[in-house]
C-alpha cells in the first residue's frame, strides 16, 4: 500500500533501509537521503504495525527523442529477512504499476542488484556505459590548450553550474536522446552532495563559449571521470590534456562515457586503452502505447505488433496497429494477426535499449510473421543517473 508521510513512516522506512543496505548512520540526518525521500512516494507491506517490505518511487521527466515523458525511478527495494520469499515485493510492484498507469507515467527505470530478479517484473537491461581505463602512456602528447580556455571549479560555483546545465539541457533538446533524465535542480544538488569531492572542468573555445564539461574525482589512486560531454574533438583533447597534467601523480585513469562515444578516436595510440561495456540501468514499459508514440522509424509504413506475457501491466497485451503519421507513431489496439510478436521484456530492450528489431528476430526474441523491414531509430543516452 502507499504509505503516508509522517514521523512513524519515516522511522520505519529508515530502519528497514539501514538494516537491508548495511547503513550505519541515521538516515534521517542524511541530507542526500532525505532530499530524495521528500520528493518520492513510499510503498510498503505491513505485518501488523511493522513495515515488512518497501520500495521508493521517485518521479522524473525523461526525454525520448522529441518528447518528454514522466518516468518513475525505483529504489530502496527491500524486505526484512524474516519476510522474504512471501511475495511482498511482487505485491508492491503490482500496486505501483497500477498507480503509475493511472497517473499516466509510462516508464520506470532502476539500478538492479540482480537482473534476473527484476526481469520477473518486466524490467530489462536498456542503459549501458562505455568505460575507458588507461594509464599515463595513453596521454602522452596531449598539451594544454593555448587559445582555448579551461575553467575548473566546484558545483557551488554559479558560473560553473550554469555552464554545465546549459550544455546538459542543450543536448536534451537535440531530439536524439533515448530515455535520458531531465534533471531538476534538487536532483543536481543531490548528485553533488551524494558524490563528494567532485571537480568540474569547463572547456571554452576562443570566444569563451562553453563547448564541454568534465566531472571528475580523484580517489584510490585513480582519476575517475564520471561525466564527460563535449561538442567537438578539440574539447575532448582539452580534457585529456588536463588529465595528462596529472601524470606526475602516478594515477590510473578511468572515463565513463555513453555507448556511442568515440573517445578512442581522439587517442593517437589506442593500444593503451582498455574499453569495456558495462550494464547500468534497467527499464520497464508501463504504457506500451505511450512509449510507442515516442519512437521514430527508419521509414513510413503501417504494421502490427503484439505484446505478450505482461502479467503485471495487462493493458499492454494484445495486437497494436502502428502507423507513421507525419513523423508521429499512432498506436491503437486492433483485431488481427501481428507482423511481430514479443514479450514486454523484449519490447523494452528494442524500444528503450540498444537491441535492433532485426537482431531481435535473428536471436529469436521476436517472432516475425511478416517482415516489414522496419527498424526503430536507436538514439542515445548521453547522461547517467542512479536511483
Amino acid at each position: 500500500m502507499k504509505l503516508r508521510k509522517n514521523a512513524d513512516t519515516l522511522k520505519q522506512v529508515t530502519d528497514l533501509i539501514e538494516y537491508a543496505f548495511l547503513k550505519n548512520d541515521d538516515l534521517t540526518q542524511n541530507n542526500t537521503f532525505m532530499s530524495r525521500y521528500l520528493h518520492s512516494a513510499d510503498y510498503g507491506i505491513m505485518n501488523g504495525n511493522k513495515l515488512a517490505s518497501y520500495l521508493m518511487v521517485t518521479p522524473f521527466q525523461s526525454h525520448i527523442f522529441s518528447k518528454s515523458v514522466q518516468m518513475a525511478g525505483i529504489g530502496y527495494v527491500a524486505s526484512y529477512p524474516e519476510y522474504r520469499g512471501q511475495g511482498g515485493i511482487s505485491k508492491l510492484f503490482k500496486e505501483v504499476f497500477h498507480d503509475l498507469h493511472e497517473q499516466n507515467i509510462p516508464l520506470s527505470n532502476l539500478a538492479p542488484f540482480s537482473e534476473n530478479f527484476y526481469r520477473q517484473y518486466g524490467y530489462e537491461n536498456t542503459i549501458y556505459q562505455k568505460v575507458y581505463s588507461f594509464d599515463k602512456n595513453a596521454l602522452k602528447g596531449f598539451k594544454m590548450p593555448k587559445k582555448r580556455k579551461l575553467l575548473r571549479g566546484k558545483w557551488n560555483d554559479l558560473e560553473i553550474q550554469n555552464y554545465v546545465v546549459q550544455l546538459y539541457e542543450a543536448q536534451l533538446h537535440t531530439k536524439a536522446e533515448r530515455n535520458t533524465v531531465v534533471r531538476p535542480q534538487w536532483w543536481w544538488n543531490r548528485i553533488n552532495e551524494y558524490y563528494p569531492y567532485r571537480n568540474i572542468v569547463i572547456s571554452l573555445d576562443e570566444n569563451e563559449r562553453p563547448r564541454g564539461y568534465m566531472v571528475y574525482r580523484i580517489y584510490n589512486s585513480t582519476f575517475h571521470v564520471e561525466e564527460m560531454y563535449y561538442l567537438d574533438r578539440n574539447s575532448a583533447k582539452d580534457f585529456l590534456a588536463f588529465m595528462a597534467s596529472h601524470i606526475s601523480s602516478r594515477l590510473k585513469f578511468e572515463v565513463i562515457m555513453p555507448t556511442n562515444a568515440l573517445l578512442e578516436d581522439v587517442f593517437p595510440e589506442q593500444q593503451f586503452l582498455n574499453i569495456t561495456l558495462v550494464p547500468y540501468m534497467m527499464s520497464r514499459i508501463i504504457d506500451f502505447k505511450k512509449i510507442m508514440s515516442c519512437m521514430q522509424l527508419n521509414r513510413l509504413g503501417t504494421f502490427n505488433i503484439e505484446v505478450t506475457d505482461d502479467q503485471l501491466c495487462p493493458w499492454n497485451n494484445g495486437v497494436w496497429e502502428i502507423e507513421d503519421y507525419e513523423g508521429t507513431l499512432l498506436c491503437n489496439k486492433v483485431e488481427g494477426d501481428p507482423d511481430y510478436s514479443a514479450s514486454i521484456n523484449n519490447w523494452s530492450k528494442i524500444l528503450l535499449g540498444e537491441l535492433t528489431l532485426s537482431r531481435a528476430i535473428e536471436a529469436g526474441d521476436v517472432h516475425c510473421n511478416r517482415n516489414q523491414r522496419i527498424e526503430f531509430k536507436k538514439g542515445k543516452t548521453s547522461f547517467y543517473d542512479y536511483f
Side-chain angles (χ1 to χ4, degrees), residues 144-189:
M144 293 291 279
K146 294 183 179 180
K147 295 183 179 181
R148 297 164 65 89
K149 181 180 178 181
L150 290 176
L151 183 65
R152 183 181 62 84
K154 302 280 190 179
W155 176 251
N156 54 9
D157 181 325
L158 290 182
E159 183 180 23
I160 294 284
Q161 187 178 135
N162 287 335
Y163 281 142
V164 171
V165 173
Q166 176 184 334
L167 289 162
Y168 186 97
E169 293 187 352
Q171 177 57 29
L172 288 184
H173 290 89
T174 60
K175 301 181 180 180
E177 293 300 301
R178 181 194 70 238
N179 196 5
T180 302
V181 172
V182 181
R183 294 175 180 166
Q185 187 65 38
W186 75 268
W187 186 253
W188 276 111
N189 293 335

Side-chain angles (χ1 to χ4, degrees), residues 72-123:
I74 304 293
Y76 295 115
V77 180
S79 297
Y80 280 113
E82 61 268 29
Y83 300 116
R84 292 172 189 165
Q86 299 180 17
I89 297 300
S90 296
K91 293 176 183 177
L92 287 180
F93 270 112
K94 185 175 183 179
E95 181 179 3
V96 167
F97 293 156
H98 176 272
D99 287 359
L100 294 178
H101 184 57
E102 290 290 309
Q103 298 162 26
N104 294 315
I105 300 177
L107 170 65
S108 174
N109 291 336
L110 57 77
F113 73 89
S114 167
E115 294 163 32
N116 269 334
F117 178 81
Y118 287 109
R119 281 194 183 100
Q120 66 183 310
Y121 304 119
Y123 287 90

Side-chain angles (χ1 to χ4, degrees), residues 352-375:
L352 298 173
E354 302 285 346
L355 184 64
T356 64
L357 181 57
S358 58
R359 287 175 58 193
I361 293 170
E362 291 175 6
D365 292 333
V366 172
H367 181 71
C368 178
N369 295 318
R370 183 179 56 175
N371 197 339
Q372 300 277 48
R373 302 196 180 280
I374 62 166
E375 284 290 358

Side-chain angles (χ1 to χ4, degrees), residues 206-254:
E206 294 85 348
N207 299 311
E208 297 199 358
R209 295 174 301 184
R211 302 297 292 170
Y213 71 85
M214 178 174 73
V215 181
Y216 72 94
R217 291 187 294 163
I218 300 175
Y219 62 94
N220 295 335
S221 300
T222 302
F223 189 110
H224 291 272
V225 177
E226 295 166 344
E227 197 160 291
M228 181 191 288
Y229 175 71
Y230 50 85
L231 296 174
D232 54 60
R233 182 169 289 195
N234 285 331
S235 294
K237 290 180 178 179
D238 291 347
F239 294 141
L240 294 174
F242 181 84
M243 297 169 70
S245 70
H246 294 73
I247 283 179
S248 61
S249 302
R250 297 182 180 180
L251 295 171
K252 298 291 185 181
F253 299 88
E254 182 179 89

